[in-house]
Amino acid sequence: MPERPNLEHLRKEAKQRLKLLRHSDPLAALAVAQREVARDYGFSSWRRLVALFRPTAGFASDALDWRDHWARQARILEARDRGDWRAMEKAYRELIANARPTQRNSLEADFAFSLVQYSKKPEEARRIFDRLMRKPTPETMAYCARFAHMIGETDIWTNGKPCFAAP
């Protein structure tokens, strides 16, 4: 994203994406294009992306946090592209340490996935999921299921409880 993001630019980008989508699917909706643009920038929905532009008392500090968050994300991707797994882990840990509590679980899950995929550390990833599943939410349960699939486990449930949950 540019240093000074502009909502109008994002709207135009979504409309351009819609034109591209309509080449393959003439019935594609603007909402689909908006969601794709939001996800390109790391947001789960268009609504969450647009929320950055709503005037709030703490908007200036939120914008600074947001730029810092993206700079850390960029370091993760750069380290991954270089094959520097240690730098990638360090950047992930910094990102998680500085994240808002509402972002932390998904960032930790992403970090755990990277530990399995790139660093070949499934046991450390399992410890992260053990901790995340102490207070399971639908989001963490979905991450847990994806993790189980990644490591080749077919059933993440034991006696009706997630297998990564604390006793």
Side-chain angles (χ1 to χ4, degrees):
M1 272 216 168
E3 187 172 325
R4 293 177 184 240
N6 178 305
L7 182 57
E8 190 57 36
H9 170 78
L10 293 171
R11 287 181 175 146
K12 288 178 182 178
E13 191 173 337
K15 288 178 184 177
Q16 290 173 345
R17 179 71 59 94
L18 178 61
K19 287 179 185 178
L20 292 173
L21 288 172
R22 286 196 171 153
H23 285 303
S24 61
D25 179 6
L27 300 176
L30 179 60
V32 173
Q34 290 172 330
R35 185 175 53 245
E36 284 187 10
V37 169
R39 287 186 176 163
D40 287 348
Y41 291 115
F43 293 86
S44 61
S45 69
W46 178 257
R47 187 182 56 133
R48 289 181 186 248
L49 174 60
V50 171
L52 286 174
F53 299 93
R54 290 197 188 107
T56 63
F59 180 74
S61 65
D62 288 348
L64 292 174
D65 290 347
W66 178 74
R67 281 198 293 267
D68 186 51
H69 175 84
W70 281 104
R72 292 175 199 280
Q73 286 277 21
R75 285 201 301 273
I76 290 168
L77 296 175
E78 290 166 3
R80 184 197 66 196
D81 291 345
R82 287 191 318 266
D84 187 350
W85 313 131
R86 286 179 192 231
M88 190 172 103
E89 284 184 38
K90 181 181 178 191
Y92 254 120
R93 291 180 197 283
E94 285 177 10
L95 183 64
I96 291 165
N98 291 292
R100 291 188 175 111
T102 56
Q103 299 170 321
R104 200 164 284 134
N105 285 353
S106 60
L107 288 171
E108 286 188 285
D110 286 340
F111 174 54
F113 294 144
S114 74
L115 287 171
V116 173
Q117 288 177 310
Y118 303 111
S119 301
K120 309 298 183 221
K121 296 181 179 179
E123 290 310 311
E124 186 173 348
R126 184 181 294 271
R127 285 191 297 276
I128 291 170
F129 279 104
D130 283 342
R131 190 177 69 258
L132 290 175
M133 292 305 292
R134 287 183 187 142
K135 293 182 182 177
T137 65
E139 180 185 34
T140 57
M141 291 174 73
Y143 283 125
C144 183
R146 182 174 164 214
F147 172 69
H149 178 74
M150 284 177 74
I151 62 173
E153 292 190 13
T154 57
D155 188 8
I156 64 164
W157 301 95
T158 305
N159 299 325
K161 294 183 179 180
C163 65
F164 302 120

